[in-house]
Amino acid sequence: MPEQDPLQRRSNFNEVNLGFTEELAKMEALRCIQCPKPTCIEGCPVGVKINEFIALVAEGDFLGAADKMKEDNLLPAICGRVCPQEEQCEVKCVVGKKNEPVAIGRLERFVADYERETVGIRVPSLKTKTGKKVAIVGSGPAGLSCAGDLIQMGHDVTVFEALHELGGVLIYGIPEFRLPKSIVKEEIDSLSKLGVEFKTNEVIGLTDTVDELMQNDYDAVFIAVGAGLPYFLNIPGENLNGVYSSNEFLTRVNLMKAYRFPEFDTPVFNCKDKNVAVFGGGNTAMDTVRISKRLGAKNAYIIYRRSDVEMPARAEEIHHAKEEGIEFILLSNPLEFIGDEKGWLKSVKIQRMELGEPDSSGRRRPIPIPGSDYILPIDMAVISIGNGSNPIIQKTTPDLNYNKWGNILVDENTMKTSKKGVFAGGDIVTGGATVILAMGAGRKAAAAINDYLKSES
Ligand code: SF4
């Protein structure tokens, strides 16, 4: 796929990937051999009819392809950009056994963009209303996909969002250069056109509890609040000025537009000509370090305790980060942040690691090398080692079942919780995962909520 030149994009927040042209899309679609049993669909958590939409692209019927896609996925422009297709549908593509698999994700993005840019996002016609009301807590990918399915099943749907903007992690967690906000907004607007009601600045657990929603005439509640509580390293010096969690850093930059301070009210650490270290190896770490480069960092490091083979980030994100000049310091673990007399971060003590036997995650365990410590001068550190569940729902809805990390326990087939009429899905159930897995959970919950509402009738 054509993309912005690395040197040029290092200084802007415009999208890196530029998308297929019509000709490239058709050529790529013609690589699909239209398998009688398309294994690619098995790899898609929301069951998009991949072979059918690709056949329409090959014929040049791009709007028909968009319609086919939206039978199973109402957020295709988002998924086409951020889903890890290389681990899902594309890894199952038959063509991939001998050659590059068909670029399913890029074709998905193409048809969604084609529709939006030519005729605007069209919404399907709706079934007769059932008179049932469902409250969805959280407007991230799980909540949005659940809302899209339930409204098409004829139910009234209200989505409650804690922040002032809709989209959850799609808005605050993923930077503009990977997922433009305008695209998220337009796909959410299409749900509004279908009749989904959205309420922002509503923190369920504070403004209303789950029980109050049920008492206020909602027939079912779907909890999809994500995983918004950042983990820290728990090492000395983590409270110094200049040490952030990725969650805070990304929220300041992505949601509050701190990169345009003082035009926007929220500031963020001034990275210009500074040394920035991001600790972690996932997509969030890549997003964070690439933002710091765009904010002018002189040296921007990824510091990760295993090797690049074990890195959980998408290969494409690692590749883009390297192209943009990010330096990878692998097999290295931070021991201590060191500050000056005024409490500002100045350096980090790093210990080198080597890989041992695989641990419970299946990845080789990092083992410290004694006497290998050294000091790396840095001005800003961002901890990007994952998120846990926010405790607000647990505190105010104690009669749900939770695991020891505060994730809600559900029946995996139906997403039903232990409380009648209450369902849950996405990161609040699984812990931090991918956008498409959260969407799959949202769709599964929508089907189960529909069955539940019918049975209650
Ligand atoms: S597995 Fe690959 S070749 Fe077969 S239908 Fe799916 S995309 Fe086409």
Side-chain angles (χ1 to χ4, degrees):
M1 173 150 37
E3 56 188 39
Q4 261 200 84
D5 177 74
L7 279 180
Q8 184 191 10
R9 71 183 191 238
R10 260 176 20 181
S11 54
N12 68 52
F13 278 76
N14 299 336
E15 202 172 5
V16 170
N17 289 328
L18 302 176
F20 278 153
T21 60
E22 291 181 26
E23 292 69 33
L24 281 175
K26 271 198 210 170
M27 275 167 56
E28 187 60 28
L30 286 167
R31 294 181 61 235
C32 170
I33 57 173
Q34 291 295 316
C35 308
K37 284 188 186 161
T39 46
C40 49
I41 300 177
E42 292 166 16
C44 175
V46 295
V48 168
K49 298 171 197 84
I50 294 168
N51 55 328
E52 295 183 36
F53 101 77
I54 291 182
L56 290 162
V57 176
E59 289 167 17
D61 181 1
F62 305 136
L63 291 177
D67 291 342
K68 184 56 68 184
M69 169 91 59
K70 288 195 296 184
E71 287 176 12
D72 302 292
N73 181 359
L74 281 171
L75 308 172
I78 295 172
C79 290
R81 285 170 168 80
V82 299
C83 287
Q85 293 95 2
E86 66 280 6
E87 295 170 10
Q88 293 173 329
C89 50
E90 291 177 11
V91 81
K92 301 253 181 186
C93 173
V94 170
V95 172
K97 285 185 182 163
K98 289 198 175 157
N99 294 299
E100 279 288 301
V102 177
I104 300 167
R106 291 170 178 192
L107 290 171
E108 178 181 30
R109 169 192 164 133
F110 168 78
V111 296
D113 289 356
Y114 182 88
E115 180 193 34
R116 198 182 60 256
E117 288 163 9
T118 55
V119 296
I121 302 177
R122 296 153 307 143
V123 296
S125 48
L126 291 182
K127 280 188 181 170
T128 326
K129 287 282 179 194
T130 61
K132 298 288 182 188
K133 289 172 63 179
V134 183
I136 294 181
V137 187
S139 70
L144 293 176
S145 66
C146 189
D149 278 8
L150 286 172
I151 198 86
Q152 292 185 84
M153 291 163 180
H155 308 302
D156 287 327
V157 180
T158 308
V159 178
F160 295 88
E161 168 54 50
L163 295 172
H164 60 286
E165 294 260 3
L166 297 169
V169 72
L170 301 170
I171 287 289
Y172 74 77
I174 304 180
E176 184 77 15
F177 56 82
R178 213 152 66 82
L179 179 62
K181 307 280 169 283
S182 58
I183 286 173
V184 178
K185 191 170 180 316
E186 286 192 57
E187 293 209 328
I188 292 176
D189 284 349
S190 71
L191 296 182
S192 294
K193 280 190 217 158
L194 277 168
V196 175
E197 189 183 353
F198 289 98
K199 292 190 174 182
T200 52
N201 299 312
E202 295 263 357
V203 186
I204 299 304
L206 295 180
T207 40
D208 277 310
T209 63
V210 170
D211 286 327
E212 283 165 345
L213 290 177
M214 293 297 277
Q215 285 154 18
N216 285 343
D217 283 350
Y218 286 102
D219 300 289
V221 175
F222 177 53
I223 303 172
V225 292
L229 197 67
Y231 292 136
F232 282 91
L233 293 161
N234 293 319
I235 60 173
E238 221 167 1
N239 57 349
L240 287 165
N241 292 317
V243 181
Y244 287 86
S245 66
S246 259
N247 203 312
E248 179 186 350
F249 181 77
L250 292 174
T251 302
R252 282 176 182 268
V253 176
N254 294 337
L255 181 69
M256 309 305 287
K257 299 195 170 51
Y259 60 93
R260 285 165 65 184
F261 179 82
E263 186 189 340
F264 285 80
D265 289 338
T266 304
V268 73
F269 186 87
N270 184 354
C271 300
K272 188 142 182 56
D273 298 326
K274 301 279 178 27
N275 296 324
V276 173
V278 176
F279 297 86
N283 289 323
T284 307
M286 298 305 141
D287 288 342
T288 305
V289 78
R290 292 171 70 195
I291 286 177
S292 75
K293 198 72 188 171
R294 283 160 173 76
L295 294 176
K298 181 172 69 179
N299 294 302
Y301 309 112
I302 279 284
I303 300 182
Y304 181 56
R305 63 198 186 126
R306 292 181 160 101
S307 79
D308 50 359
V309 174
E310 289 83 21
M311 255 188 185
R314 294 182 73 186
E316 183 180 48
E317 305 310 326
I318 296 171
H319 170 70
H320 280 155
K322 286 182 177 168
E323 277 188 336
E324 290 166 14
I326 307 303
E327 199 174 321
F328 284 62
I329 302 178
L330 303 173
L331 291 166
S332 298
N333 200 35
L335 295 179
E336 179 183 358
F337 291 115
I338 300 160
D340 64 12
E341 64 289 349
K342 291 188 176 157
W344 283 93
L345 177 69
K346 286 294 153 201
S347 60
V348 57
K349 186 193 277 187
I350 304 266
Q351 183 171 42
R352 293 190 204 281
M353 314 292 276
E354 60 188 352
L355 292 179
E357 294 301 310
D359 61 15
S360 57
S361 72
R363 297 176 298 172
R364 292 180 67 192
R365 185 192 301 273
I367 299 169
I369 301 175
S372 63
D373 311 0
Y374 68 100
I375 302 291
L376 179 73
I378 55 170
D379 305 286
M380 182 176 93
V382 189
I383 318 301
S384 187
I385 54 171
N387 292 305
S389 58
N390 190 310
I392 293 177
I393 294 281
Q394 187 170 10
K395 278 187 189 152
T396 54
T397 322
D399 52 342
L400 293 176
N401 287 338
Y402 300 87
N403 67 15
K404 64 179 175 181
W405 298 285
N407 300 119
I408 299 174
L409 295 174
V410 297
D411 176 324
E412 281 183 16
N413 293 317
T414 61
M415 318 309 283
K416 271 185 189 168
T417 68
S418 48
K419 196 174 169 79
K420 188 171 187 294
V422 179
F423 301 72
D427 288 1
I428 187 62
V429 168
T430 56
T434 63
V435 168
I436 195 72
L437 281 176
M439 288 182 67
R443 295 207 69 198
K444 203 190 274 185
I449 292 170
N450 189 41
D451 289 345
Y452 166 78
L453 293 174
K454 276 190 200 157
S455 68
E456 288 295 299
S457 302

